[in-house]
């Protein structure tokens, strides 16, 4: 294995490597592992003090993955699959973090990393064909290939609410939960935000808090996880069938082995339709969005799915007004990611929990003592911000990335991210994005999506080396055509009817462009292979 010459290293204090990988989440760790295996001198840089990425930062109570644990795990090493035991259907944040720590130790990855350093800038030198990467700790690294495994949901959105900085109590963000934990016992807690992070944390916070006030601007669809420990039998079965399960995941649209109901909805009677919805509801969580084929394309099917879920929610929530307030009326079901909860709707039956509908009674200001809405006041000890992320592009545009012809990434993506195959950006040679915009990313299984992209990109790097090319860059026309295709496919679905973070709609001033590729994981892989078979069509190489 190669060890990068870590600081102070070279005489001028600059770390000189072949590959820099930004990030130590699932994608970054895998990129470092594979790059080192292929003989590249590799440096990883990570802002967190340890590995984990999303699972390092999002330590809020109740944090879990909404993809089943046996699917949301590395597939590249069958030995790793056999030796690791997932204890529950949906893994908790601590369990996923220990899995990533185990992977980091098992493949000896930590020694390639600098932790606790945030990359703030990167600049490409056209003459030397190298990136210079700078961190906030003063590290300067030069590399030929820059892999940005910076995460799709890693740039937290701190809302611009008047008076927020005046609040005298504690403000905690779900996306940057204190590492030592935060105890809400006997405190008056306010939660702003009812996306997945809010919906997962609210039931757990409610158990300990003296009072919990939920400030909801937009309700979301949520389906219970029906989480439970995996039995020994299930664990054995998972180990026995991992290969088939992975094959199905790579051949599927969303990177998991689950398929929609085998018959089209219009060929089944009402009884069978209800049973199909009920079965999917009981499977739990986000999978409900794909009970029937075309559920997020055909509004009539979507309406039937929506009605089924509404009935379920109304049966749980005792106060009909609260139930009404908790039900979305602004988007087709599944066109924002369906949340996966444990006792979310039941929590609103508790005496110590109150829902504030900000659409009826908006926040006017935050004061030293709490939240003042137009009609009421709420005294609080703690404010929890579950207010989401500048998704898919934020982590990239918050760094000062300068291409060789003068433009920054922020400028290049001002009207929406433009990429070829979601991995390369015209004007930014030798820079690659992993699970970035223009790729299936958040609409697939992030772990398998990262593996596929990293392997494909390292093949591209090897190809360049073998052919004596120092640079590779996405062609502008190929990137335009791919980005138009990403847009066109999204426009054929109901997803464009939702003001979601998929479309940048949660961030003021952000371009409204549907960012992930919704054509399916399998289709995307085929497109990547097609380009490779044609000698990496869509790229221009230079010496
Ligand atoms: O963020 P979100 P998230 N005043 O953007 C509200 C993944 N994830 O962190 O919709 C008042 O969904 C905002 O309201 P509105 C998953 O892919 C997965 O919860 O803008 N409210 C919204 O309610 C998920 O989709 C898991 O009107 C304000 C909330 O904050 C993605 O991450 C767990 C506001 C933000 O919701 C993001 O989820 C967690 C303001 N000024 C996350 N600003 C699992 O695997 C924002 N809001 C289960």
């Amino acid at each position: 294995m190669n060890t990068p010459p870590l600081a102070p290293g070279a005489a001028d204090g600059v770390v000189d490597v072949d590959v820099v990988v930004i990030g130590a989440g699932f994608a970054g760790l895998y990129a470092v592992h594979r790059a080192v295996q292929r003989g590249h001198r590799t440096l990883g840089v990570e802002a967190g003090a340890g590995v984990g990425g999303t699972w390092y930062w999002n330590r809020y109570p109740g944090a879990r993955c909404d993809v089943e644990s046996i699917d949301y795990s590395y597939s590249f090493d069958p030995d790793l699959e056999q030796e690791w035991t997932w204890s529950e259907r949906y893994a908790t944040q601590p369990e996923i973090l220990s899995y990533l720590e185990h992977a980091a130790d098992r493949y000896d990855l930590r020694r390639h990393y600098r932790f606790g350093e945030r990359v703030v800038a990167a600049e490409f030198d056209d003459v030397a064909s190298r990136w210079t990467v700078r961190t906030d700790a003063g590290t300067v690294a030069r590399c030929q290939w820059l892999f940005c495994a910076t995460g799709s949901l890693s740039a937290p959105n701190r809302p611009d609410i008047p008076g927020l900085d005046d609040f005298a109590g504690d403000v905690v963000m779900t996306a940057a939960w204190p590492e030592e934990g935060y105890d809400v016992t006997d405190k008056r807690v306010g939660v702003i935000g009812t996306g997945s992070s809010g919906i997962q944390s609210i039931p757990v916070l409610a158990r300990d808090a003296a009072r919990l006030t939920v400030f909801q601007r937009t309700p979301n669809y949520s389906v219970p996880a029906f989480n439970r420990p995996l039995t020994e039998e299930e664990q054995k079965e998972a180990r026995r069938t991992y290969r088939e399960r992975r094959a199905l995941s790579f051949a599927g649209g969303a990177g998991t082995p689950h398929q929609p109901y085998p018959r089209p909805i219009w060929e089944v009677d009402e009884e069978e339709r209800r049973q199909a919805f009920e079965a999917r509801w009981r499977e739990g969580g986000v999978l409900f969005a794909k009970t029937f084929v075309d559920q997020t394309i055909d509004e009539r099917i979507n309406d039937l799915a929506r009605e089924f879920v509404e009935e379920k929610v109304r049966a749980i929530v005792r106060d009909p007004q609260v139930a009404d307030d908790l039900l979305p009326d602004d988007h087709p079901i599944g066109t924002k990611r369906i949340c996966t909860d444990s006792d979310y709707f039941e929590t609103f039956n508790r005496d110590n929990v109150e829902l504030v509908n900000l659409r009826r009674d908006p926040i006017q200001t935050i004061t030293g003592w709490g939240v003042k809405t137009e009609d009421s006041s709420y005294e609080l000890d703690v404010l929890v911000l579950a207010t989401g992320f500048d998704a898919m592009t934020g982590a990239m545009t918050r760094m000062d990335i300068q291409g060789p012809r003068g433009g920054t990434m922020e400028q290049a993506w001002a009207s929406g991210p433009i990429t070829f195959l979601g991995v390369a950006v015209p004007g930014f040679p030798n820079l690659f994005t992993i699970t970035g915009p223009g790729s299936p990313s958040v609409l697939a299984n992030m772990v398998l999506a990262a593996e596929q992209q990293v392997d494909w990109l390292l093949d591209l790097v090897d190809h360049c080396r073998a052919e004596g090319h120092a640079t590779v860059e996405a062609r502008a026309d190929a990137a335009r055509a791919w980005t138009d295709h990403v847009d066109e496919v999204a426009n054929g679905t109901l997803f464009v009817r939702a003001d979601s973070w998929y479309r940048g709609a949660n961030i003021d001033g952000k371009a409204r462009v549907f960012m992930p590729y919704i054509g399916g994981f399998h289709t995307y892989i085929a497109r990547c292979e097609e380009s490779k078979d044609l000698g990496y069509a869509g790229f221009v190489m230079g010496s």
Side-chain angles (χ1 to χ4, degrees), residues 60 64 66 193-197 200 217-218 337 386-389 501:
Y60 59 84
R64 275 177 200 281
D66 59 1
T194 48
S196 294
S197 305
Q200 283 190 330
R217 191 164 63 183
T218 312
R337 192 171 180 88
T387 42
F389 302 88
W501 55 259

Side-chain angles (χ1 to χ4, degrees), residues 55 58 60 63-67 153 157 159-161 174 192-200 215-218 220 336-337 339-340 358-359 363 386-389 442 499 501-502 505-506:
W55 303 105
N58 289 264
Y60 59 84
R64 275 177 200 281
C65 187
D66 59 1
V67 178
L153 295 155
N157 169 41
D160 188 16
I161 302 175
T174 49
I192 299 183
T194 48
S196 294
S197 305
I199 283 178
Q200 283 190 330
F215 297 95
Q216 172 195 273
R217 191 164 63 183
T218 312
N220 263 303
K336 285 183 173 182
R337 192 171 180 88
C339 305
T340 303
L358 298 180
R359 295 231 185 264
I363 294 179
T387 42
F389 302 88
V442 291
D499 282 337
W501 55 259
Y502 297 138
N506 64 325

Side-chain angles (χ1 to χ4, degrees), residues 243-449:
R243 294 299 90 207
E244 293 99 290
R245 205 170 169 111
R246 300 305 196 177
L248 281 173
S249 298
F250 278 107
T256 68
H258 300 283
Q259 305 292 331
Y261 195 71
R263 297 176 65 196
I265 196 167
W266 306 125
E267 286 181 12
V268 303
D269 62 19
E270 194 183 335
E271 177 60 21
E272 188 173 344
R273 186 177 77 219
R274 275 201 73 80
Q275 279 171 6
F277 279 135
E278 183 67 32
R280 258 303 153 93
W281 172 269
R282 300 232 145 247
E283 270 188 76
V286 69
L287 286 174
F288 188 84
K290 293 186 180 157
T291 310
F292 285 103
V293 167
D294 288 348
Q295 195 169 304
T296 47
I297 291 178
D298 183 331
E299 193 167 4
R300 295 166 309 157
I301 306 176
N302 195 279
D303 280 344
L304 293 167
R306 195 175 44 72
E307 282 161 20
F308 180 88
V309 167
E310 286 183 7
E311 216 178 283
K312 289 283 189 191
V313 174
R314 288 186 198 287
I316 299 170
V317 181
R318 284 203 287 269
D319 182 330
Q321 177 65 61
V322 175
D324 263 357
D325 287 347
L326 287 168
L327 285 168
D329 60 4
D330 66 337
H331 66 276
I333 186 166
T335 57
K336 285 183 173 182
R337 192 171 180 88
I338 293 184
C339 305
T340 303
D341 74 88
S342 298
D343 296 335
Y344 179 62
F345 294 109
E346 289 83 348
T347 298
F348 292 91
N349 294 333
R350 294 177 67 105
D351 292 338
N352 69 333
V353 174
E354 180 178 11
L355 180 70
V356 178
N357 182 337
L358 298 180
R359 295 231 185 264
R360 265 202 309 275
D361 185 15
I363 294 179
Q364 216 172 46
T365 184
I366 294 178
T367 69
W369 45 260
V371 171
K372 186 161 172 17
T373 60
E374 276 180 11
D375 296 337
S376 292
S377 300
Y378 302 88
E379 285 187 34
L380 302 170
D381 303 308
V382 191
L383 200 49
V384 174
L385 300 178
T387 42
F389 302 88
D390 182 352
M392 305 213 71
T393 56
M396 293 294 289
T397 56
R398 286 182 188 186
M399 295 184 285
D400 181 18
I401 301 177
Q402 303 263 354
R405 297 185 283 282
T408 65
M409 188 67 76
E410 191 179 11
Q411 289 162 343
W413 283 1
S415 308
I418 171 149
T419 73
F420 180 56
L421 294 176
V423 291
V425 186
F428 298 86
N430 296 15
L431 176 149
F432 307 121
T433 52
I434 314 295
T435 65
S439 76
S441 179
V442 291
L443 299 175
N445 175 338
M446 293 292 271
V447 184
L448 305 193

Side-chain angles (χ1 to χ4, degrees), residues 10 42 65 75 96 104 138 160 165 172 189 208 210 265 344 358 396 447 464 506 513 515 517 538 541:
T42 303
C65 187
S75 75
I96 301 172
D160 188 16
D165 291 336
V172 275
V189 181
D208 292 332
I265 196 167
Y344 179 62
L358 298 180
M396 293 294 289
V447 184
C464 290
N506 64 325
V513 173
M515 295 181 283
Y517 176 60
M541 291 164 196

